[in-house]
């Protein structure tokens, strides 16, 4: 548990960037917190690492740098994105300092819970086995999908900024970047199957369930925004009726009515 609290302190230090801009608690602060946690694990367990745990930690670092860097770049370069987000997300001006501290602590704990399957594999002295290898492969697939979705969306929006995106991986699901995120953390979760024991499953399940919930909430927020922007477009209506919102081959085409999903 000592290491769990050390990693929480690391996540708190990095995600504290959210006090500068509220949304950064769960965007830029999220990405770079995962990077910092991966690096901290490599340092803390340097003498007991295996090929599988090294790979898992490195994947955290690559994932976090890509996500945090992409979000930071978008913040700086995309005026249209910033204008949209001002309408969609609170700027934090009306949020009390106490509430900000609560959110800061909560998200830092969530980030450590998400990465805890690797932490517990290291703590329990479990080396490389089939579970961690399969988990890393799933995570890599998720990272590739998420990067591909971001690239294809940026390219499509440059070509036609006023049209919804339905090309490339967006033909499979309407939120492929969120699907990539789910796959990334599904891989981490799977990697813990042979390494996590007893009460250690509590933070592992909290972390995985938490990120899946957040991704469905993000999908709902995106759906509501797209319905406002493209709801009168017959092509958009045809697209949403035949393309699942988040999970491929699962006939779930809308989550707009589920108000308990907060994105």
């Amino acid at each position: 548990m000592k290491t769990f609290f050390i990693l929480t302190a690391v996540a708190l230090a990095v995600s504290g960037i959210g006090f500068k801009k509220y949304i950064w608690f769960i965007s830029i602060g999220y990405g770079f917190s995962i990077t910092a946690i991966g690096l901290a694990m490599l340092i803390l367990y340097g003498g007991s690492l295996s090929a599988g745990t090294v790979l898992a930690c490195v994947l955290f670092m690559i994932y976090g740098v890509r996500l945090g860097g992409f979000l930071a770049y978008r913040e700086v370069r995309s005026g249209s994105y910033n204008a949209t987000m001002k309408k969609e997300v609170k700027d934090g001006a009306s949020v009390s300092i106490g509430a900000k501290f609560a959110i800061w602590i909560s998200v830092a704990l969530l980030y450590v819970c998400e990465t805890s399957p690797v932490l517990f594999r290291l703590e329990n002295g479990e080396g490389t086995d089939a579970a961690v290898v399969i988990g890393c492969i799933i995570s890599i697939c998720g990272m590739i999908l998420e990067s591909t979705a971001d690239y294809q969306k940026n390219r499509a929006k440059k070509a036609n900024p006023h049209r919804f995106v339905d090309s490339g991986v967006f033909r499979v699901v309407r939120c492929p970047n969120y699907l990539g995120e789910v796959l990334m953390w599904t891989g981490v979760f799977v990697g813990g199957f042979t390494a996590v024991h007893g009460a250690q499953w509590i933070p592992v399940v909290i972390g995985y369930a938490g990120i899946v919930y957040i991704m469905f909430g993000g999908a709902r927020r995106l759906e509501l925004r797209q319905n406002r922007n493209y709801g009168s477009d017959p092509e958009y209506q045809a697209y949403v009726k035949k393309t699942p919102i988040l999970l491929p081959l699962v006939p779930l085409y809308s989550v707009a009515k589920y108000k308990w999903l907060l994105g």
Side-chain angles (χ1 to χ4, degrees):
M1 287 300 292
K2 179 182 177 181
T3 310
F4 187 94
F5 289 116
I6 291 173
L7 295 181
T8 301
V10 169
L12 285 169
V14 178
S15 62
I17 192 174
F19 284 104
K20 180 173 177 61
K21 189 171 182 180
Y22 184 69
I23 188 62
W24 289 356
F25 279 126
I26 55 173
S27 60
I28 297 173
Y30 170 45
F32 289 124
S33 288
I34 301 302
T35 293
I37 289 171
L39 178 59
M41 286 182 183
L42 288 177
I43 294 171
L44 292 169
Y45 292 95
S48 58
L49 294 165
S50 68
T53 51
V54 168
L55 178 58
C57 292
V58 170
L59 288 179
F60 286 154
M61 296 168 65
I62 295 173
Y63 164 85
V65 167
R66 190 213 73 84
L67 179 61
F70 171 77
L71 294 173
Y73 177 82
R74 189 168 64 178
E75 283 273 348
V76 173
R77 297 299 298 272
S78 179
S80 61
Y81 168 78
N82 288 326
T84 298
M85 293 310 291
K86 283 182 180 179
K87 300 175 184 177
E88 297 291 328
V89 180
K90 292 180 179 179
D91 61 7
S94 61
V95 180
S96 68
I97 189 66
K100 288 182 179 179
F101 267 95
I103 292 168
W104 176 44
I105 294 169
S106 297
V107 297
L109 286 169
L110 176 63
Y111 303 157
V112 178
C113 287
E114 287 180 55
T115 58
S116 63
V118 178
L119 168 62
F120 294 136
R121 176 172 290 276
L122 289 165
E123 275 201 354
N124 296 337
E126 302 287 351
T128 301
D129 58 17
V132 73
V133 172
I134 294 170
C136 285
I137 291 172
I138 296 172
S139 292
I140 291 170
C141 291
M143 291 167 62
I144 292 172
L145 176 59
E146 193 169 3
S147 299
T148 301
D150 288 339
Y151 171 75
Q152 291 181 344
K153 184 173 183 178
N154 283 341
R155 188 175 62 178
K157 282 297 185 180
K158 284 181 180 178
N160 193 342
H162 302 297
R163 190 182 190 281
F164 62 95
V165 181
D166 60 346
S167 56
V169 292
F170 289 83
R171 295 176 180 174
V172 180
V173 292
R174 305 207 308 275
C175 299
N177 48 343
Y178 294 159
L179 173 60
E181 185 88 8
V182 170
L183 283 175
M184 162 67 190
W185 295 108
T186 297
V188 176
F189 185 72
V190 168
F193 282 179
T194 56
V196 179
H197 308 294
Q200 292 175 342
W201 278 107
I202 296 174
V204 169
V205 172
I206 288 173
Y208 182 63
I211 193 61
V212 171
Y213 171 82
I214 289 170
M215 289 304 101
F216 271 93
R220 178 178 182 269
R221 185 180 67 238
L222 179 62
E223 180 184 4
L224 291 173
R225 183 166 73 243
Q226 290 187 332
N227 286 346
R228 289 194 298 269
N229 293 338
Y230 312 116
S232 60
D233 184 341
E235 284 188 302
Y236 172 73
Q237 290 297 333
Y239 171 62
V240 301
K241 288 178 181 178
K242 68 179 182 181
T243 310
I245 188 164
L246 184 58
L247 302 176
L249 306 178
V250 177
L252 178 64
Y253 300 101
S254 174
V255 292
K257 64 182 180 181
Y258 303 126
K259 296 182 180 180
W260 50 270
L261 287 173
L262 302 176

